[in-house]
Amino acid sequence: MTKKPLIIILLLLCFQFITTAQNTAPSEVKVSNIEEFNTAIKNATPGTKIILKNGEWKDVHFKAFGNGTKEAPIVISAETNGEVIITGDARLNISGEYIIVSGLWFKDGTPTSKYLIEFRKDSKEFANNCRLTNCAITNYNPIDASIENHWIDMWGKNNRVDHNNFTGKINAGTTLVVWLKGEEHTENNHQIDHNFFGYRPDLGENGGETIRIGTSENAMKSSKTLVEFNTFKHCNGEIEIISNKSCDNIFRNNLFIENEGTLTLRHGNNALVENNVFIGNNKPKVGGIRIINEGHIVRNNLLVGVTGDDFRGPIVIMNGVPNSPLNRYNQVKNVSVQNNTLVNCSAVQFGAGKDDERTLAPINTVFANNLITNNTGNAISNEQDVVTGISFFGNIVDSDANVDPNQFTKAILEYAILKGIPMPTSKNEILKTAKKTTASPDLDMTGTKRDLYVSGAFNLDNINYPSVINAKSGPFWNVTIEEPVTSEAADVVINVEPGVETLNKAIKNAGKKGTLILNSGIYLLQKAIKISGDIVIKGNTANGDVVIKMAEDIEKPLSYMFRAEEGTRLQFENLTIDGDGKTAAKYAVVSPDENMSGKYNLFIDNCTIKNFSNTDGGAVFKAYVGTLADTISIKNSKIEDSYRGLNLSYEKDLYGKYNAEMIILYNTVFEDMKEYAVNYIRNGINPSNYGGKISIDQCVFSDVYNNEKGYMIKTKGINDVAITNSVFEISSPTAVTVNLSGANNSIENCVMSNAGIVKVTNQAKSSNIIYKNPKWDDSKLFIPSAKSPLMKENNGIARIGLLPIK
């Protein structure tokens, strides 16, 4: 071969190599608008990097569809981290294989869609092995607060959300959801790690979780999602900060700071909860870990100053429901709670939520080798049901509080303080009595080998700080954001027109403080309304009545029309709440959900509430077990044609609990009630302890509980009862209409007409009870005539002074 052909062949080979290299080398494309992005992503191949130029991107829909490889992913990133600002009604879809989105800031937007970022294209094409990293979503909320959406929807498998900041979600809908609808999403092995989840205010209803993994319907499917090294700070959306609703998930090395809720193992089995740190700083409503279902391991967790109660306790082991439906509570079984350290926390709850439905106490459960240090005087544990199904051993308590020696061993321990955390020293021989089980950890919570197995989350003489406290969470660039000021909100005034769901929408738009002026007409509810904040609902009756009732076309009757959530001040004025109709609600107003113990207030003035006639326990007002109102006040109103009036009788235990600090009934009529007007009780081992107060003045009780066993008012165990200037008429003549017991109970200046008798015991007082016909001048408005015994001064009774019910 001559030299010339050889040179030509070599040149051709070099050209082919260069051409091949050019075709396979990663390409970098810089885009400045959504049209350029769409072209770039359409042409993207493995290794393509699409760079979004700095600046504002408004009302854009990014469709990040493509197929990269593990070695050469498709990358979509900001020109400068945090300087690509996405605003308005924007969203992002990610689908395909090995796509990475990085450095974007979704800021102060106004979305209208059901999601902001979704790991799928549609119901058939999903994301696998994709990643959202180094991004932020802050204060990205709909203008219309009634819109429910999610910020992140995770579908597919092996996706990762890491080093992001999610702060300021205020509308309904979970912040981040992992979905398991279909086999394409089970055993997904998603990672949610090193994110900062910031301020989220109390939503006032369900759906305010920060993370939810699964749903009730798919709870028995395996997700295998890993949640680690995240920070949750002031995530107060609802009681469930994290809602585990699937199987085989891991929650480890997360930091929880002053969140008004718990990491909740709500549905699903076999979760591992380990090495997490909960810092409560003694703030009210801050919780820890709540346990439901089977097979969970909760170990090596540190809880400091977590002082929430009931469902928000530091560790809460729930009772279950026999043959539980998917959305209720399965029995706790085969659960291990070991080697946790609790410092100055409230009581651990056993059998929490026990009631007529949740009757199954935990079984085959181990509570062992936990260390509890408490110098605040708080109780160590609270048994709401039997604990015979729980094995206790190796639990050490350093506290003056009383404990059951079969469950806890008291000891005075020696500590070395490590950055504010007490670490037991090797001089504490009693901690060495711990007994290992198959679920016991081989490492302490700092990741150090347990050469000597002891109680608590740390080795003796530990000098290592929990790694999660110092771990980096959030983006690698500075997200400058301030939490909303918590000072008193401005009062929003909203005029509302009658119609279907107009009231519900107005309440959501009112936010935390508002006055709703309802113009004359009928307001139809298709779903129950939950109130959170300081809300006044006031009728403008200038052109006719204002009536609130249930719509006729809903499929299933609702349990209640209005719920006052924890911390709420709810006021009704100048309106009618009518329970009549084929889809009538069981209750007009209810307290927060059971065991939500934050106080609330309810004020009703110049209203009519009627036709709540459901005989299966229906009532005008119901207080759920474990709730507490500061004040319930009903004035100048009429409650009629209903099964029951105020029902505050569900506290069955012997701890002296009750459901309202103060009940005020003034110038109000209870008429045509099948059962009692008021049932307000407090059970307790020591009834002399002070608890509860009721004032009834210038009221009428007519045709209430009209049978031989009937009572109009029941105040069992309530220490302070004052009934004055009132009328009781039309009941069984053999009934004990009012039964008072206790030195601070009294009834005076009242008329009894064909209404049984008054009974007083145990130093209760009765004076000037007149057994005569009240002689109404107007029997509908209950206005006494001039000849009424109510008006005779020589009887020593003041004029009732009942005003016409407007």
Side-chain angles (χ1 to χ4, degrees):
M1 181 180 292
T2 64
K3 291 183 178 181
K4 188 173 181 179
L6 180 61
I7 292 172
I8 293 172
I9 292 171
L10 290 173
L11 289 172
L12 289 172
L13 289 172
C14 290
F15 178 77
Q16 183 178 1
F17 174 78
I18 293 169
T19 304
T20 302
Q22 287 177 338
N23 289 337
T24 59
S27 61
E28 184 174 293
V29 182
K30 187 173 286 188
V31 298
S32 58
N33 56 54
I34 192 64
E35 290 78 18
E36 292 178 359
F37 172 83
N38 289 338
T39 300
I41 196 67
K42 182 179 179 181
N43 297 322
T45 58
T48 297
K49 185 173 183 179
I50 301 173
I51 300 174
L52 278 60
K53 288 186 177 180
N54 294 343
E56 182 181 6
W57 293 63
K58 186 175 182 181
D59 299 333
V60 289
H61 183 184
F62 293 106
K63 300 176 182 178
F65 309 149
N67 290 289
T69 66
K70 183 177 182 179
E71 295 76 19
I74 297 171
V75 179
I76 301 160
S77 65
E79 182 179 17
T80 304
N81 288 332
E83 294 188 25
V84 172
I85 309 298
I86 301 169
T87 64
D89 186 9
R91 63 188 189 273
L92 165 66
N93 288 83
I94 303 170
S95 76
E97 296 278 346
Y98 292 103
I99 295 175
I100 299 173
V101 178
S102 175
L104 311 183
W105 190 352
F106 290 78
K107 184 179 182 182
D108 302 329
T110 53
T112 60
S113 59
K114 292 293 185 182
Y115 64 89
L116 191 57
I117 299 175
E118 189 172 40
F119 281 73
R120 68 173 182 173
K121 180 179 181 179
D122 50 36
S123 61
K124 296 181 179 179
E125 297 185 42
F126 310 105
N128 296 299
N129 303 297
C130 294
R131 183 179 180 190
L132 177 74
T133 185
N134 203 31
C135 294
I137 305 175
T138 61
N139 298 324
Y140 218 92
N141 299 296
I143 295 174
D144 185 347
S146 66
I147 293 176
E148 176 179 335
N149 71 354
H150 309 134
W151 278 2
I152 310 289
D153 279 343
M154 296 187 74
W155 300 85
K157 295 188 178 182
N158 303 310
N159 297 311
R160 185 181 181 193
V161 175
D162 67 286
H163 293 95
N164 303 290
N165 184 306
F166 304 118
T167 298
K169 191 176 195 303
I170 64 172
N171 67 307
T174 306
T175 305
L176 187 156
V177 181
V178 174
W179 293 97
L180 282 85
K181 295 179 180 178
E183 293 304 315
E184 305 92 338
H185 316 290
T186 58
E187 296 192 350
N188 53 66
N189 295 301
H190 292 322
Q191 284 183 248
I192 304 167
D193 64 282
H194 295 89
N195 301 287
F196 179 86
F197 293 92
Y199 173 75
R200 181 164 190 188
D202 183 2
L203 184 62
E205 59 183 342
N206 292 334
E209 305 100 328
T210 296
I211 294 177
R212 191 185 78 230
I213 304 175
T215 59
S216 301
E217 294 77 11
N218 295 299
M220 291 299 110
K221 293 182 178 180
S222 177
S223 183
K224 294 187 177 179
T225 294
L226 172 62
V227 180
E228 66 175 351
F229 286 106
N230 301 284
T231 298
F232 300 84
K233 184 177 182 181
H234 298 165
C235 297
N236 305 331
E238 63 152 88
I239 190 172
E240 297 177 18
I241 307 164
I242 296 177
S243 184
N244 181 82
K245 292 187 175 180
S246 52
C247 298
D248 308 314
N249 299 310
I250 297 174
F251 306 93
R252 69 184 179 205
N253 290 310
N254 298 288
L255 176 61
F256 297 82
I257 304 174
E258 297 180 2
N259 303 282
E260 295 180 358
T262 63
L263 190 171
T264 303
L265 306 179
R266 185 64 183 88
H267 300 301
N269 301 328
N270 305 320
L272 173 61
V273 181
E274 65 177 358
N275 302 341
N276 302 285
V277 176
F278 296 78
I279 306 296
N281 290 325
N282 301 314
K283 301 288 186 180
K285 300 167 68 173
V286 172
I289 303 163
R290 188 159 65 108
I291 302 167
I292 307 150
N293 279 67
E294 306 179 26
H296 306 306
I297 298 174
V298 178
R299 65 189 184 192
N300 272 357
N301 299 285
L302 171 65
L303 300 96
V304 181
V306 175
T307 55
D309 58 7
D310 288 315
F311 285 13
R312 288 187 172 97
I315 296 176
V316 181
I317 303 178
M318 295 285 296
N319 256 29
V321 176
N323 302 312
S324 176
L326 291 174
N327 65 341
R328 294 303 291 154
Y329 292 82
N330 284 332
Q331 187 177 24
V332 172
K333 299 179 182 178
N334 306 316
V335 166
S336 178
V337 181
Q338 292 195 54
N339 289 96
N340 301 287
T341 292
L342 284 68
V343 180
N344 289 340
C345 294
S346 54
V348 175
Q349 305 287 326
F350 298 111
K354 179 190 177 182
D355 57 17
D356 292 340
E357 180 195 27
R358 286 183 294 239
T359 58
L360 299 178
I363 59 173
N364 298 328
T365 291
V366 172
F367 189 88
N369 306 321
N370 300 289
L371 174 59
I372 302 177
T373 299
N374 193 328
N375 60 14
T376 64
N378 289 335
I380 300 303
S381 66
N382 178 27
E383 297 175 18
Q384 299 187 31
D385 202 349
V386 296
V387 293
T388 53
I390 302 176
S391 296
F392 293 89
F393 54 88
N395 300 300
I396 308 300
V397 171
D398 185 356
S399 173
D400 292 333
N402 294 325
V403 298
D404 185 337
N406 295 315
Q407 301 170 6
F408 303 95
T409 300
K410 292 186 68 172
I412 298 175
L413 303 180
E414 179 182 287
Y415 305 96
I417 304 301
L418 177 63
K419 297 183 180 180
I421 301 175
M423 295 293 171
T425 70
S426 55
K427 293 182 180 181
N428 298 298
E429 292 293 326
I430 194 169
L431 297 180
K432 302 174 185 178
T433 59
K435 300 176 184 178
K436 294 189 72 171
T437 72
T438 56
S440 296
D442 294 325
L443 308 176
D444 80 347
M445 78 169 300
T446 70
T448 307
K449 185 178 179 180
R450 288 179 179 267
D451 291 322
L452 176 66
Y453 184 65
V454 295
S455 298
F458 300 97
N459 284 326
L460 299 180
D461 297 321
N462 170 62
I463 59 173
N464 300 310
Y465 210 50
S467 58
V468 64
I469 295 180
N470 295 322
K472 168 64 180 176
S473 63
F476 295 103
W477 48 275
N478 185 30
V479 183
T480 305
I481 181 172
E482 296 181 2
E483 291 190 8
V485 177
T486 57
S487 58
E488 185 174 353
D491 191 0
V492 177
V493 179
I494 300 176
N495 285 288
V496 190
E497 296 299 328
V500 179
E501 284 296 283
T502 57
L503 177 55
N504 208 333
K505 185 175 181 179
I507 286 173
K508 290 185 176 181
N509 288 331
K512 291 296 182 182
K513 187 172 185 180
T515 298
L516 279 59
I517 308 297
L518 277 57
N519 292 320
S520 300
I522 298 176
Y523 293 78
L524 297 174
L525 308 183
Q526 291 181 322
K527 56 184 179 180
I529 296 179
K530 297 178 180 179
I531 307 291
S532 181
D534 187 349
I535 301 295
V536 178
I537 303 175
K538 187 174 184 179
N540 175 12
T541 57
N543 296 314
D545 293 339
V546 174
V547 180
I548 302 171
K549 60 191 305 184
M550 300 305 301
E552 295 288 340
D553 57 349
I554 57 176
E555 295 181 2
K556 183 180 178 181
L558 301 180
S559 179
Y560 57 85
M561 293 175 71
F562 295 93
R563 162 162 276 161
E565 297 286 10
E566 293 178 295
T568 289
R569 185 184 188 279
L570 174 58
Q571 184 170 337
F572 295 101
E573 295 183 20
N574 307 334
L575 48 82
T576 296
I577 302 176
D578 191 349
D580 195 20
K582 68 178 183 180
T583 56
K586 193 171 182 179
Y587 313 108
V589 186
V590 299
S591 72
D593 201 0
E594 51 197 24
N595 293 296
M596 299 292 101
S597 57
K599 289 185 180 180
Y600 65 98
N601 289 276
L602 173 64
F603 298 91
I604 299 172
D605 190 7
N606 198 31
C607 293
T608 296
I609 306 178
K610 61 183 180 180
N611 297 322
F612 288 87
S613 54
N614 187 310
T615 57
D616 184 22
V620 167
F621 171 81
K622 175 184 177 178
Y624 285 89
V625 64
T627 62
L628 182 63
D630 183 79
T631 301
I632 297 173
S633 172
I634 303 177
K635 296 182 177 181
N636 310 312
S637 297
K638 190 169 187 179
I639 295 175
E640 60 182 348
D641 298 322
S642 296
Y643 184 60
R644 292 171 175 169
L646 309 183
N647 190 355
L648 300 91
S649 66
Y650 287 91
E651 296 294 352
K652 306 295 186 183
D653 61 40
L654 298 178
Y655 298 108
K657 291 184 178 181
Y658 50 97
N659 294 125
E661 298 285 9
M662 179 72 186
I663 296 177
I664 299 171
L665 303 178
Y666 173 77
N667 193 41
T668 290
V669 171
F670 292 80
E671 184 178 20
D672 293 332
M673 312 288 295
K674 295 299 181 184
E675 290 196 359
Y676 49 78
V678 179
N679 191 359
Y680 177 33
I681 69 170
R682 180 181 67 94
N683 289 313
I685 296 173
N686 184 0
S688 65
N689 290 338
Y690 188 83
K693 183 175 183 180
I694 183 169
S695 170
I696 300 173
D697 185 38
Q698 300 191 139
C699 293
V700 173
F701 302 86
S702 180
D703 197 6
V704 174
Y705 217 154
N706 189 359
N707 67 53
E708 62 182 13
K709 295 183 179 179
Y711 53 86
M712 293 185 173
I713 298 170
K714 186 175 184 179
T715 57
K716 177 186 175 183
I718 302 301
N719 285 103
D720 197 331
V721 179
I723 304 172
T724 56
N725 308 321
S726 296
V727 174
F728 300 84
E729 67 172 16
I730 313 175
S731 184
S732 170
T734 61
V736 178
T737 301
V738 179
N739 188 351
L740 303 180
S741 178
N744 293 320
N745 283 215
S746 65
I747 179 170
E748 60 181 341
N749 298 342
C750 291
V751 167
M752 311 291 294
S753 175
N754 190 26
I757 60 171
V758 173
K759 182 179 179 181
V760 292
T761 58
N762 194 24
Q763 299 182 313
K765 301 176 183 66
S766 172
S767 63
N768 203 28
I769 306 301
I770 302 170
Y771 290 88
K772 291 184 178 181
N773 189 315
K775 295 183 179 179
W776 303 115
D777 185 56
D778 187 323
S779 59
K780 292 184 178 180
L781 296 179
F782 297 97
I783 299 173
S785 69
K787 296 181 178 180
S788 170
L790 304 173
M791 305 296 291
K792 293 183 179 180
E793 293 183 5
N794 61 347
N795 281 327
I797 186 169
R799 181 184 185 277
I800 279 189
L802 278 170
L803 304 175
I805 305 300
K806 299 176 183 178

